[in-house]
Amino acid sequence: MRKINELFYSLQGEGFHTGTPAVFIRFSGCNLKCDFCDTRHESGTLMTDEELLERVSAFPCRMVILTGGEPGLWIDDDLVEKLHALGKYVAIETNGTCVLPEAIDWVTCSPKQGGKLNVKRIDEVKVVYTGAGQDVESYLALPALHYFLQPCSCSNTEEVIAYIKAHPQWRLSLQTHKLIHIP
Ligand SMILES: C[S@@+](CC[C@H](N)C(=O)[O-])C[C@H]1O[C@@H](n2cnc3c(N)ncnc32)[C@H](O)[C@@H]1O
Ligand SMILES: Nc1nc2[nH]cc(C(=O)O)c2c(=O)[nH]1
Ligand code: SF4
Ligand SMILES: [Mg+2]
């Protein structure tokens, strides 16, 4: 059984795959407590993989996004294999502190201050920019294909744009779902 906070169909709002239709599986609970966290993820229902796959199969898209809370606390090779058997493309939103199943198709790592990284492969780094003084340059040393900075709760977008213009290795990730009021 795995503890699920919510499961919904929407568009990936953030990062490289922005705009792509996806089923979001939000797992309950996290091993970090970021003061800026925008998600109430603690509550949840225990589900069998059978129930989970049935819920996922109800939607026509290929992409499934594992998120939370911290999905790394709940997932394993078996779940990824089962999603692949349904023909799904498996992406994850993770804080990077957990060792992940290697077969995941796309790893979005959003490293957090004080969270020791244990991920072996990263496709995109997506850092929440909380303000001047935050050390984000060190995250450019992580081996990844893309490096995004994301404003905190859409509140400091101008500041992030100015930072990126001065440090053009970064790209802007907006939480577009919040701007267009979809889940
Ligand atoms: C809620 S987290 C769940 C996945 C995982 N725990 C993590 O932090 O990557 C999903 C994404 O939202 C980002 N996020 C959380 N709170 C945010 C906020 N207030 N503004 C912008 N992004 C935020 C996280 O950094 C992460 O990239
Ligand atoms: N539309 C939409 N896109 C997202 N991308 C990552 C999200 C998350 O909470 O992990 C998220 C979310 O909550 N909604
Ligand atoms: S690691 Fe992710 S889910 Fe956990 S508290 Fe931080 S932003 Fe929220
Ligand atoms: Mg979210």
Side-chain angles (χ1 to χ4, degrees):
M1 305 276 258
R2 306 183 202 263
K3 197 173 175 192
I4 308 301
N5 170 257
E6 59 176 351
L7 186 153
F8 59 97
Y9 185 37
S10 188
L11 307 184
Q12 170 57 292
E14 310 172 4
F16 183 80
H17 290 292
T18 294
T20 305
V23 179
F24 291 79
I25 305 176
R26 192 180 303 286
F27 293 87
S28 299
C30 192
N31 54 343
L32 300 181
K33 282 199 166 38
C34 308
D35 54 9
F36 56 79
C37 183
D38 63 0
T39 307
R40 298 183 65 179
H41 52 72
E42 289 296 341
S43 69
T45 322
L46 286 172
M47 269 192 213
T48 63
D49 285 355
E50 207 171 35
E51 290 173 85
L52 199 53
L53 295 171
E54 192 183 313
R55 294 278 307 274
V56 168
S57 302
F59 303 104
C61 66
R62 179 143 190 264
M63 185 174 287
V64 173
I65 299 174
L66 311 175
T67 185
E70 178 46 50
L73 300 171
W74 285 101
I75 62 168
D76 52 23
D77 294 333
D78 188 46
L79 178 64
V80 178
E81 203 174 293
K82 287 169 175 164
L83 289 166
H84 280 161
L86 287 181
K88 302 300 180 186
Y89 179 91
V90 182
I92 189 167
E93 300 275 337
T94 179
N95 62 28
T97 59
C98 300
V99 176
L100 301 176
E102 288 187 13
I104 291 177
D105 299 294
W106 188 269
V107 177
T108 301
C109 177
S110 185
K112 305 296 185 315
Q113 208 184 351
K116 187 185 169 316
L117 290 181
N118 280 310
V119 275
K120 289 216 184 77
R121 193 194 95 235
I122 301 174
D123 293 288
E124 66 180 309
V125 170
K126 187 174 70 188
V127 177
V128 178
Y129 191 86
T130 54
Q134 182 185 4
D135 172 27
V136 297
E137 281 313 290
S138 59
Y139 297 129
L140 290 171
L142 294 171
L145 304 172
H146 309 278
Y147 300 86
F148 290 98
L149 285 183
Q150 183 157 283
C152 190
S153 300
C154 306
S155 66
N156 57 344
T157 305
E158 307 252 311
E159 185 187 12
V160 180
I161 292 169
Y163 185 86
I164 291 173
K165 286 168 81 174
H167 303 85
Q169 305 95 318
W170 292 98
R171 285 162 63 189
L172 180 65
S173 170
L174 292 176
Q175 292 187 294
T176 58
H177 52 296
K178 295 185 182 175
L179 303 175
I180 58 178
H181 309 290
I182 62 170

